[in-house]
Amino acid sequence: MAEKIIYISNEPVVENSALEKTMIQAAEELNAKILVKDFTKNSKTTTDAPIIILCNGINVQDELILESIEKAYFSNQHIILYKPTNNEINAVYERLEGREYFKADNKIIGYSLFGLKLAENGVCYVLEDHEKQADAISRNMVDFLKDKQELDTPALHLFHKKGTDALGADFSDVNLAAMAKQHVISKKFTLKEKPCTLNFYMISCHKYEGTTAVGGEDWFFIQQYGILNGAPGYNKYWAGSWANVNGEDWFVGQGEVCLNYVDYYKMKNYIPLPDGADQIYAELIYADPQAINGITSYTVSEGIDIGGTVGFEAGVSGGDLEAKGSGSFSIGANFTSSYSFEVQDCSCKGISLSENNSSAEWEYKFKRAAQNRAAGKWQYLHDPAALSCSVFSPLNSWVWKFNTDKRDVYKSFISTMEIGIMNTISRYSGSQSPKHIAGNSEGNSVSFNITFNMPPLLGIDTKSLLFDKEGGTQKFNITVQGTWSLKIKDAPSWIRADQSGGTGAHSEVFISTDENQDKKERQAILQIYRVKDSTHNITDGLIEIKVIQSAGKI
């Protein structure tokens, strides 16, 4: 961690403001010094420190500001936007990742923080903070700057290995695993006075099929890791006669009361139905819970075997449950849409496909406080499930796939988190059973729009070619969905390609250079495009290869 934080604005931090409190707390936690810079005066200031941008004090969409943010991002620095608008987030994300973060019609609650960091391993980490209190915002800012969003768990490493191993299996010289997009989004929010975090670890990759631009399939391996805190508001006490529950008085007649513990969590993830569509043309290939608070021994099924040369096939191992298939599932998919199991004092129920034909859903339900039924009139409550009033960390995994022509339609998915609160009162007399009173359901759910990170449809196996003075011939490999086109920038006469275009998942291109008779090295740029629409001459996915020829022996 750098010893300083760069605060960027053309205005000073307002004294006693929420921002000042946030910055002071973050600086103290990180033992860092805050340096204020005005990017409107010197937008090309370079620094290796984390950057925090006050969005209402600077024009984030200014070209010079975006240029500075871009440089910091690709230098693996932390970038945090403080209270940005959706338009500002879109402008920054489009500059850094090549596309907008939100769909135009997206409605979402306001942001306190939006953070971005490109790690050295190519993973893009995103912080989305919707908290309102300065303490919570500061905590989330510090966690992001400390890289706590980089989920370093064995389950995630194994999940990543499944996807990337399959991509790299037995296919030419193009490392498809390196082409897989890796994206982590951390959502920070409060639900029923209980602070929550949902982390989404996503790997996206493409299955190359056929020679058309819209052929093949996009695959998305997703893990949802929750850090859900049931502690705030929980209270247990002895009531003399009446107990106040959710603003209402309930007669107890002396007995114990357990208030505000978690009854259930529901986690639902689905691709929304586009306007005018009658169904979702996406397949849910696999859906399983992976762990609860680190316990993994109860996993329902064995997973999927994603083999093949350039893509994936669903596995046939059935695990403990018989695999089920339907019209929307691949034959042999190791998937069951309905199951249940218990671990400790929590039960998990798989309810996938209830929202639509591709939804991945789970309900975690906790045991309620129970009454002592021993002889005699003195009755008391056993405490509710420990996980219902402490930190609960479920880890769920699922896999989606859809055809390439749907990527402009299915740009994101919706993740909904719902919490149910329970209260239990026990009578003094054992003649009456305990009464379970559900908490107020108002405001007990929140929905987020999670952007898909689309995998590339064009790839190569090198970024540079080096020739010595005598010249010669070298080759590189191209992978494309559809057709590729190659141009040599400015067309120097000393370099040639044996072909200017091709189709399919595997092409070899040979580059030849003449002898270099100059005393200086010379360079050329190969530009490879994917032809998206040959009729209207529309291309995308530009990749450049630098060719360097020395003036002597290499």
Side-chain angles (χ1 to χ4, degrees):
M1 171 55 59
E3 296 179 352
K4 55 188 177 182
I5 302 173
I6 305 300
Y7 162 71
I8 299 175
S9 177
N10 56 5
E11 298 177 359
V13 179
V14 178
E15 188 175 355
N16 295 322
S17 65
L19 174 60
E20 183 189 52
K21 294 177 182 178
T22 298
M23 296 289 286
I24 290 174
Q25 290 177 12
E28 289 177 350
E29 177 73 19
L30 297 168
N31 192 26
K33 181 180 180 181
I34 300 174
L35 301 180
V36 178
K37 291 185 178 293
D38 184 352
F39 261 31
T40 60
K41 295 180 180 178
N42 188 9
S43 63
K44 294 188 177 182
T45 300
T46 59
T47 175
D48 60 355
I51 296 175
I52 300 172
I53 301 173
L54 177 61
C55 291
N56 63 3
I58 197 169
N59 181 12
V60 177
Q61 301 179 64
D62 181 85
E63 177 63 26
L64 293 178
I65 303 300
L66 289 174
E67 182 181 335
S68 296
I69 293 174
E70 181 180 29
K71 184 174 182 179
Y73 178 73
F74 287 105
S75 298
N76 309 120
Q77 293 169 235
H78 297 83
I79 300 167
I80 295 179
L81 307 182
Y82 184 84
K83 294 192 175 180
T85 65
N86 285 10
N87 287 337
E88 289 169 332
I89 292 174
N90 270 343
V92 171
Y93 199 79
E94 187 172 18
R95 180 64 174 252
L96 302 182
E97 288 287 321
R99 67 191 188 286
E100 291 187 340
Y101 195 74
F102 300 106
K103 295 191 301 182
D105 61 348
N106 183 52
K107 296 179 181 179
I108 196 164
I109 58 179
Y111 281 90
S112 298
L113 302 174
F114 185 84
L116 285 166
K117 181 194 174 185
L118 180 65
E120 293 182 359
N121 61 2
V123 179
C124 175
Y125 290 94
V126 179
L127 166 67
E128 299 185 23
D129 184 2
H130 306 281
E131 299 280 14
K132 302 300 181 184
Q133 300 299 318
D135 289 347
I137 296 172
S138 174
R139 179 188 66 243
N140 296 333
M141 179 186 292
V142 169
D143 286 349
F144 184 73
L145 295 178
K146 285 185 172 181
D147 294 325
K148 287 189 177 181
Q149 80 284 4
E150 300 188 21
L151 308 177
D152 189 18
T153 67
L156 287 175
H157 285 306
L158 178 62
F159 188 67
H160 175 265
K161 190 174 186 301
K162 278 185 179 181
T164 54
D165 280 359
L167 280 172
D170 189 29
F171 177 73
S172 71
D173 294 315
V174 179
N175 185 353
L176 294 181
M179 291 171 60
K181 287 285 189 179
Q182 302 175 59
H183 208 58
V184 176
I185 296 178
S186 296
K187 304 287 292 188
K188 306 279 188 177
F189 56 97
T190 297
L191 196 57
K192 300 298 282 187
E193 300 182 3
K194 300 180 185 296
C196 300
T197 297
L198 286 180
N199 293 309
F200 297 86
Y201 189 96
M202 299 186 288
I203 302 169
S204 58
C205 39
H206 185 73
K207 178 178 180 179
Y208 294 84
E209 289 184 323
T211 58
T212 65
V214 294
E217 298 167 340
D218 291 326
W219 284 67
F220 300 89
F221 295 74
I222 304 174
Q223 277 200 335
Q224 179 186 52
Y225 175 54
I227 304 175
L228 314 175
N229 192 347
Y234 173 66
N235 186 22
K236 179 182 178 181
Y237 67 95
W238 180 269
S241 178
W242 296 86
N244 186 276
V245 180
N246 298 330
E248 298 181 8
D249 286 330
W250 293 83
F251 177 71
V252 180
Q254 292 192 331
E256 285 196 318
V257 180
C258 288
L259 293 179
N260 301 315
Y261 61 92
V262 178
D263 182 32
Y264 67 85
Y265 293 108
K266 287 183 180 179
M267 308 171 81
K268 178 168 63 177
N269 305 276
Y270 64 96
I271 301 173
L273 194 67
D275 292 340
D278 57 355
Q279 72 176 83
I280 296 295
Y281 293 94
E283 296 183 27
L284 180 66
I285 299 300
Y286 165 88
D288 254 355
Q290 296 293 298
I292 293 177
N293 287 36
I295 299 173
T296 59
S297 60
Y298 57 80
T299 301
V300 174
S301 62
E302 296 297 325
I304 54 175
D305 178 16
I306 43 179
T309 56
V310 291
F312 307 90
E313 297 295 338
V316 296
S317 59
D320 296 329
L321 295 175
E322 180 182 356
K324 294 184 178 181
S326 70
S328 65
F329 298 135
S330 297
I331 296 176
N334 177 23
F335 175 80
T336 177
S337 62
S338 178
Y339 54 82
S340 63
F341 66 90
E342 292 190 11
V343 55
Q344 295 180 345
D345 46 14
C346 169
S347 65
C348 174
K349 183 179 180 182
I351 51 176
S352 293
L353 308 183
S354 65
E355 175 68 28
N356 58 34
N357 62 304
S358 65
S359 60
E361 307 173 50
W362 296 269
E363 179 181 30
Y364 292 93
K365 194 170 183 64
F366 301 95
K367 293 179 180 178
R368 297 173 178 174
Q371 186 183 49
N372 170 40
R373 304 298 290 178
K377 64 180 181 180
W378 291 98
Q379 303 299 318
Y380 58 88
L381 288 174
H382 296 289
D383 289 342
L387 295 179
S388 70
C389 48
S390 62
V391 176
F392 176 66
S393 300
L395 182 65
N396 305 314
S397 299
W398 68 97
V399 178
W400 275 321
K401 76 168 183 177
F402 48 76
N403 292 338
T404 307
D405 62 352
K406 299 299 182 185
R407 60 166 49 197
D408 290 334
V409 180
Y410 304 152
K411 295 182 179 180
S412 61
F413 67 92
I414 293 176
S415 182
T416 297
M417 176 75 192
E418 180 180 327
I419 185 174
I421 303 299
M422 185 56 64
N423 308 278
T424 299
I425 59 178
S426 173
R427 271 67 171 182
Y428 174 83
S429 171
S431 63
Q432 291 181 297
S433 298
K435 187 174 185 63
H436 302 291
I437 306 166
N440 186 350
S441 62
E442 182 178 353
N444 71 334
S445 66
V446 63
S447 294
F448 299 109
N449 204 306
I450 309 296
T451 301
F452 282 123
N453 198 2
M454 296 298 177
L457 302 178
L458 173 68
I460 57 176
D461 65 344
T462 186
K463 293 183 178 180
S464 63
L465 295 173
L466 304 178
F467 289 84
D468 60 21
K469 176 181 178 180
E470 284 72 21
T473 299
Q474 296 186 39
K475 76 168 185 176
F476 67 94
N477 296 280
I478 298 177
T479 296
V480 69
Q481 181 60 58
T483 302
W484 58 268
S485 174
L486 183 148
K487 297 178 182 178
I488 303 176
K489 187 176 181 179
D490 298 329
S493 60
W494 55 271
I495 182 172
R496 295 167 299 282
D498 72 327
Q499 53 186 313
S500 60
T503 60
H506 185 199
S507 297
E508 289 184 339
V509 180
F510 291 86
I511 302 297
S512 300
T513 60
D514 296 333
E515 180 182 0
N516 184 6
Q517 297 180 351
D518 295 334
K519 294 182 179 180
K520 297 181 180 180
E521 75 170 25
R522 56 189 181 186
Q523 298 183 6
I525 300 295
L526 306 180
Q527 296 179 320
I528 301 100
Y529 303 83
R530 189 182 82 98
V531 180
K532 185 176 182 179
D533 184 345
S534 58
T535 303
H536 299 91
N537 195 29
I538 299 175
T539 60
D540 63 8
L542 168 65
I543 299 178
E544 293 186 336
I545 297 176
K546 180 180 289 188
V547 179
I548 302 174
Q549 186 175 19
S550 69
K553 289 285 185 180
I554 296 178

